[in-house]
Amino acid sequence: MMKVRSVSGSPLGRRHVLAMLGGVALSGLSPARWAQAGDAAASALAFDGDALVVAGAQVWRHDLSGGASATLATPRPHIRALATHPARTGRLFAASDGGGLDRSDDGGRTWAAASGGLPQAQVAALAIAAGAQDTVYAAVAGDGLWQSEDAGENWSFVMDRPWIAEAEREMLTLASVNLASGMGGIWIYAGTERGLTRVPDCFCRWQDVVAGDAMDALVAGTPPAPEAPLPEGEPVLALASAMAAPERFVAGLPSGLWASTDGGVTWSRRSGLVATALAVHPTEPSRIAAATADGVILSHDGGASWAALPTT
């Protein structure tokens, strides 16, 4: 069983020292506002079945099929990231500002600590493995990528931060997808402060997103650059994909909302919308939720048009 509000203290060497120092704080990312919640800020979104969970200083749950809204328990002060899995409706993972990770198995009504072995540093992003609902990935600021294979009971370090433009880069958002790629198919995509990268679930090496067989690209070492990548050097603030259509991505950058239909190889700019959090409905990939400076908005056509989140 999970221990409520407790953290395992096993020695972690260099990362244990980083944990005690609090890691590296993320700055410059203004949380979007959820207009329907007054002055509350929305910094994380996730679909839990047909319900949209919106989190910030509080946690809200909005049933898009019936229209009912509810304010839920907040596990810790201000939520930075959320993760859900369509095969386990009701299970939520939430990362809080300043460190700490919690799990709910009842749709956010009650929470318990799920950070045994994680450093006491900021968890900037979360994702649940596309093919294994108990496997969770956490991007720890100042450290790297961590994995739990038992739904947050225990954690282990699996990968350093991506090396981009001559430096390790912070991961701002994560997505796990099952794509046929020559390496088993399961990939963890990371939006970083300097662009998009990915690693297979063997955790062998971060690589640019390229066309064709990923194993060939790794062996070659210098794969051809895609014809239409995301803008070079821009931070990827938000990234999302539906498990029903893993080849389709949406990404939020300072330059606007971008979309890909080929696993992130080529991208097109859909609009100037600046989204700091995104969520895609697990079975309806054209239904997208975005947190913006003006509130949480919904699209039913893949981002071509948007409307405010309805409330009752």
Side-chain angles (χ1 to χ4, degrees), residues 87-112:
R88 183 64 183 267
T89 303
R91 174 177 285 178
L92 310 173
F93 288 87
S96 304
D97 274 347
L101 184 65
D102 294 277
R103 189 183 95 192
S104 173
D105 288 324
D106 56 11
R109 293 165 182 82
T110 61
W111 297 85

Side-chain angles (χ1 to χ4, degrees), residues 280-311:
V280 179
H281 191 281
T283 60
E284 300 176 42
S286 293
R287 184 183 290 190
I288 305 170
T292 75
D294 296 319
V296 175
I297 54 179
L298 292 172
S299 175
H300 296 278
D301 53 15
S305 61
W306 297 86
L309 180 67
T311 59

Side-chain angles (χ1 to χ4, degrees), residues 143-262:
D143 192 25
L145 188 66
W146 288 68
Q147 174 183 265
S148 171
E149 295 181 292
D150 53 12
E153 298 282 355
N154 300 280
W155 291 85
S156 59
F157 178 84
V158 292
M159 198 74 184
D160 285 320
R161 292 175 296 170
W163 183 268
I164 303 173
E166 305 303 320
E168 282 192 5
R169 301 298 178 179
E170 296 292 356
M171 294 170 279
L172 309 180
T173 181
L174 295 173
S176 173
V177 297
N178 189 352
L179 284 169
S181 59
M183 295 192 71
I186 306 295
W187 287 87
I188 301 96
Y189 283 65
T192 79
E193 56 191 351
R194 290 294 298 269
L196 182 68
T197 186
R198 67 179 182 178
V199 65
D201 65 356
C202 63
F203 305 109
C204 50
R205 195 181 84 185
W206 292 103
Q207 69 159 229
D208 293 336
V209 184
V210 297
D213 190 287
M215 181 63 77
D216 290 344
L218 280 174
V219 171
T222 55
E227 294 182 2
L230 285 171
E232 184 176 358
E234 268 198 75
V236 180
L237 308 177
L239 183 70
S241 179
M243 291 192 184
E247 72 285 352
R248 295 174 59 175
F249 281 93
V250 288
L253 280 70
S255 59
L257 186 75
W258 293 74
S260 173
T261 59
D262 59 4

Side-chain angles (χ1 to χ4, degrees), residues 47-52 62-65 89 281-284 287:
F47 277 100
D48 184 28
D50 282 330
L52 178 65
H62 188 81
D63 185 353
L64 296 182
S65 59
T89 303
H281 191 281
T283 60
E284 300 176 42
R287 184 183 290 190

